[in-house]
Amino acid sequence: MDYNEGIAAAYVPNVLSKDRDEQVWPPDVEAVFLQAIEAIPKLGRRKILVNGKPCGRNELISDYIYRKTGKLRTRKQVSSHIQVLKNTRKNDPQFMRLLTDTSDSDTLIDPFLYESQTACATPFNFYSELQMGDWAPSLPSWPLTFDPHAEPALWPFSVHLCLDNSDATSCLLAQWQYQPPISIFMKDPAFLQIKCPWRDICQLVARLPPNCPFLWNHVTMAIPMHLIFEESQFRSSNVLLANKLRAIKCTTYVYSFGVCVLESTDMQQPKDHHASGYLYDFCLINPFFEAFLKGIRTLTTCEEVSAAIDHLCMVQLYEDANTNQPLLVVLFIFQQGMCGNIQLIALSR
């Protein structure tokens, strides 16, 4: 018997609401509900975009039940059922852990990362199913393999994000210095924090050769809100190292709250020579980020600023300009913080 079945077998409804619960939550719906609370992470006040609509956890549970059973249970019905279970199962700490938001749930860097000592459906498969719908099946496995000992055709060399003002002051928002592939931490894509539609990621991954690096850049920007002025200018340096001379094309997709708001293509020859190859410098669409920073300056609360930054995402695809061979993919996610650094992770299973 697995954990879900164990919960279902142990669950005894409150006597006073037994008839009503049996009508609204018959065994088949209850079993799927238990699967849902096991698979869907506690989000606190956070919401997840599903087909462009921001959804809280109860709405995701409602949607999960409908997809699995074809029976509609509203967000309010889910909420009411959870409250009943909190009373009837309050002496079961393991079960309560699935229902109750902790203080940590509002500060999780990765709202899709749900660690459990019990086996459960992975967030990767669940959110693939939710956001792709019937468009395509979920990826059964991550098809890309990262070999830290192999020489990459293209690799990040350095990243600097700055804000310049007319009085010659410059604020460093975030930076990253070269690390060889062998020193990069690897992460299972099952716990990828996704802020753009899964269908876009699936389409992109399907185009890549198995050995193409797919990197995840977690950018923590130290943004001095009091130093953003109308004349402020965003400046970025995004330097990459290629192992041989070639023209490189970079296609950039910018997402805000799950919607692709900008697509841009840039083609470059090397800017400089390095002992290990050739250096290219692709900026991060400076006009967009400059407008973005000036836009968040007008927001009235810290929560609104954090939400705007947290729901920003950028994907860059680098290809050989002559052959269209994919060389590298970098996914940037952003958050506001004090440190102003960038964590680079390679996705691999």
Side-chain angles (χ1 to χ4, degrees):
M1 177 182 295
D2 64 20
Y3 183 65
N4 288 331
E5 292 173 344
I7 295 176
Y11 170 56
V12 179
N14 185 290
V15 174
L16 296 178
S17 58
K18 181 178 179 181
D19 291 340
R20 182 182 60 189
D21 274 8
E22 286 182 349
Q23 291 175 5
V24 180
W25 299 97
D28 61 328
V29 177
E30 179 72 8
V32 174
F33 167 82
L34 296 172
Q35 294 173 12
I37 63 171
E38 179 78 359
I40 300 173
K42 295 170 287 185
L43 304 174
R45 292 187 297 271
R46 295 176 182 267
K47 291 184 181 291
I48 292 174
L49 282 170
V50 179
N51 295 327
K53 176 187 176 184
C55 296
R57 190 191 189 209
N58 290 348
E59 289 171 294
L60 295 176
I61 292 173
S62 171
D63 187 83
Y64 187 97
I65 292 171
Y66 182 74
R67 288 171 179 270
K68 295 293 185 180
T69 67
K71 298 178 180 178
L72 179 63
R73 296 296 180 269
T74 67
R75 172 180 57 83
K76 290 185 177 181
Q77 286 177 311
V78 171
S79 177
S80 175
H81 192 47
I82 288 176
Q83 292 304 317
V84 170
L85 293 178
K86 283 182 179 180
N87 292 326
T88 61
R89 300 298 300 275
K90 60 185 177 182
N91 295 324
D92 184 345
Q94 189 175 15
F95 187 82
M96 290 295 292
R97 180 172 171 270
L98 300 175
L99 300 179
T100 307
D101 282 325
T102 64
S103 59
D104 292 335
S105 64
D106 288 336
T107 58
L108 284 175
I109 290 176
D110 184 350
F112 295 153
L113 177 56
Y114 178 63
E115 296 178 352
S116 174
Q117 295 178 347
T118 61
C120 66
T122 66
F124 179 88
N125 288 335
F126 175 69
Y127 288 105
S128 296
E129 178 181 348
L130 270 186
Q131 299 207 19
M132 290 175 62
D134 297 328
W135 180 84
S138 303
L139 287 176
S141 63
W142 187 256
L144 308 178
T145 301
F146 178 72
D147 183 358
H149 300 284
E151 180 186 25
L154 189 66
W155 188 257
F157 189 78
S158 67
V159 179
H160 291 83
L161 309 181
C162 302
L163 185 68
D164 297 333
N165 287 316
S166 57
D167 60 358
T169 59
S170 180
C171 304
L172 181 64
L173 304 179
Q175 67 176 340
W176 179 85
Q177 299 294 339
Y178 176 80
Q179 291 176 268
I182 196 170
S183 68
I184 297 297
F185 179 72
M186 290 190 289
K187 184 175 183 178
D188 188 332
F191 300 110
L192 173 65
Q193 183 183 22
I194 185 70
K195 297 181 180 180
C196 60
W198 260 116
R199 62 172 63 88
D200 291 5
I201 296 296
C202 292
Q203 285 180 319
L204 177 57
V205 168
R207 294 177 51 191
L208 305 178
N211 61 345
C212 179
F214 194 119
L215 305 180
W216 184 84
N217 268 10
H218 190 167
V219 181
T220 302
M221 294 193 295
I223 303 176
M225 301 297 295
H226 63 291
L227 294 180
I228 302 176
F229 305 106
E230 192 60 36
E231 67 273 12
S232 298
Q233 294 185 330
F234 178 83
R235 175 169 52 89
S236 66
S237 174
N238 179 32
V239 181
L240 296 105
L241 177 64
N243 64 351
K244 69 178 185 179
L245 180 63
R246 66 175 97 203
I248 294 178
K249 179 177 67 173
C250 174
T251 305
T252 301
Y253 307 89
V254 179
Y255 295 85
S256 179
F257 288 89
V259 177
C260 186
V261 296
L262 182 63
E263 179 178 340
S264 174
T265 301
D266 187 14
M267 189 178 304
Q268 288 195 15
Q269 298 288 343
K271 300 290 186 182
D272 200 358
H273 185 266
H274 185 269
S276 301
Y278 299 87
L279 297 176
Y280 300 74
D281 192 355
F282 291 90
C283 70
L284 302 186
I285 315 184
N286 292 348
F288 169 82
F289 281 94
E290 182 176 314
F292 177 82
L293 291 173
K294 293 177 181 178
I296 63 174
R297 181 192 58 170
T298 66
L299 299 177
T300 56
T301 67
C302 295
E303 289 77 13
E304 289 176 329
V305 172
S306 295
I309 298 171
D310 288 348
H311 288 86
L312 187 65
C313 171
M314 183 175 69
V315 180
Q316 289 191 316
L317 168 64
Y318 296 93
E319 301 171 284
D320 186 301
N322 295 317
T323 65
N324 291 325
Q325 176 192 2
L327 305 174
L328 174 69
V329 176
V330 184
L331 187 153
F332 291 82
I333 65 168
F334 300 87
Q335 73 170 25
Q336 187 178 16
M338 300 296 295
C339 52
N341 66 2
I342 300 175
Q343 181 185 22
L344 182 64
I345 293 175
L347 300 179
S348 184
R349 278 191 169 178

